Amino acid sequence: MKPLLFCLATLALTGCTTVSMVSKQAIVETELTEQQSEVRERAEAFEAMAADEGWVMQSGGLSGLADMLFGADQSAADVTSQSYAQTIAASAEEPAAIFATVEADAATAARSLQELDLIATALLESGEVQRADLISFESALVTAQKCYRSFAEATGVVEGEASRERRETEAALRVLANVIDGARISADQMAAAYAANDTTGETLS
């Protein structure tokens, strides 16, 4: 009888300990998820803004496949398939107005990417980089590079001699290029941090 009571007591104690550990782990994971989700949310928001503003051509994806199968309005598809430079060229605006548009878009893209980079830097300092954060950040970085190419291409299609507007637009593009370079460094650091965390986890297990 005594061995049976001892076993029951041992199981009860073990069960209590397990519940306590799971509870603490859940709290830690919740706190980390809140911080990490900000990187993913801002990265997704940047990509959505780039697509909505027409800075990058929207990929077909599942919606594109559905349009092909069920027959979407072709005129609407033609509009969304135009590149940023094509849209700018078809706007029939004066060169000064076109340069102003490209400059404003490049500045907005640079500012948004820089804000995302700051959030990623804070995550790096916490030492808790997850795979989803890394993938989201790298995806936003690729989108930013596409935006830069779109802006540069649009600047190239505008006819006319060198002007103040062109110089200001090219300056905005250089700022965006510098921000992209900084984000690329952050992406490399995030990849290294994730790899280190993954290796540590495997060693502990």
Side-chain angles (χ1 to χ4, degrees):
M1 185 66 179
K2 288 183 179 180
L4 176 60
L5 292 175
F6 177 77
C7 291
L8 291 175
T10 302
L11 288 173
L13 290 173
T14 304
C16 293
T17 303
T18 303
V19 170
S20 176
M21 289 176 64
V22 170
S23 177
K24 291 179 181 178
Q25 183 66 22
I27 293 174
V28 171
E29 289 180 353
T30 300
E31 292 175 349
L32 292 177
T33 300
E34 290 178 355
Q35 185 178 21
Q36 292 156 4
S37 65
E38 188 176 4
V39 172
R40 296 194 290 271
E41 288 175 0
R42 294 298 290 270
E44 291 171 0
F46 177 82
E47 293 192 76
M49 177 178 65
D52 292 342
E53 295 294 331
W55 300 341
V56 295
M57 294 181 65
Q58 299 185 22
S59 59
L62 293 178
S63 61
L65 178 61
D67 291 343
M68 181 181 66
L69 293 175
F70 301 109
D73 182 6
Q74 188 60 41
S75 62
D78 291 341
V79 172
T80 56
S81 64
Q82 281 190 330
S83 69
Y84 181 81
Q86 289 172 327
T87 302
I88 287 291
S91 65
E93 293 187 9
E94 293 296 322
I98 294 177
F99 282 130
T101 298
V102 177
E103 179 189 355
D105 289 344
T108 300
R111 183 168 57 251
S112 298
L113 182 62
Q114 192 166 41
E115 291 172 355
L116 172 60
D117 194 20
L118 289 174
I119 296 172
T121 299
L123 180 62
L124 270 168
E125 291 174 353
S126 74
E128 297 292 341
V129 178
Q130 299 298 313
R131 183 171 182 269
D133 299 309
L134 175 59
I135 292 174
S136 297
F137 188 80
E138 288 181 335
S139 181
L141 177 57
V142 170
T143 298
Q145 292 170 331
K146 291 180 180 179
C147 290
Y148 177 86
R149 288 195 292 269
S150 294
F151 300 147
E153 183 184 3
T155 303
V157 301
V158 181
E159 298 179 356
E161 299 294 331
S163 61
R164 177 179 58 83
E165 291 82 4
R166 178 184 288 276
R167 289 193 297 271
E168 291 175 350
T169 302
E170 291 174 346
L173 287 176
R174 286 193 294 272
V175 171
L176 176 57
N178 290 334
V179 174
I180 290 173
D181 287 341
R184 189 179 292 111
I185 294 173
S186 296
D188 291 341
Q189 292 174 340
M190 290 177 70
Y194 170 72
N197 290 340
D198 192 47
T199 302
T200 302
E202 290 180 355
T203 301
L204 294 176
S205 61

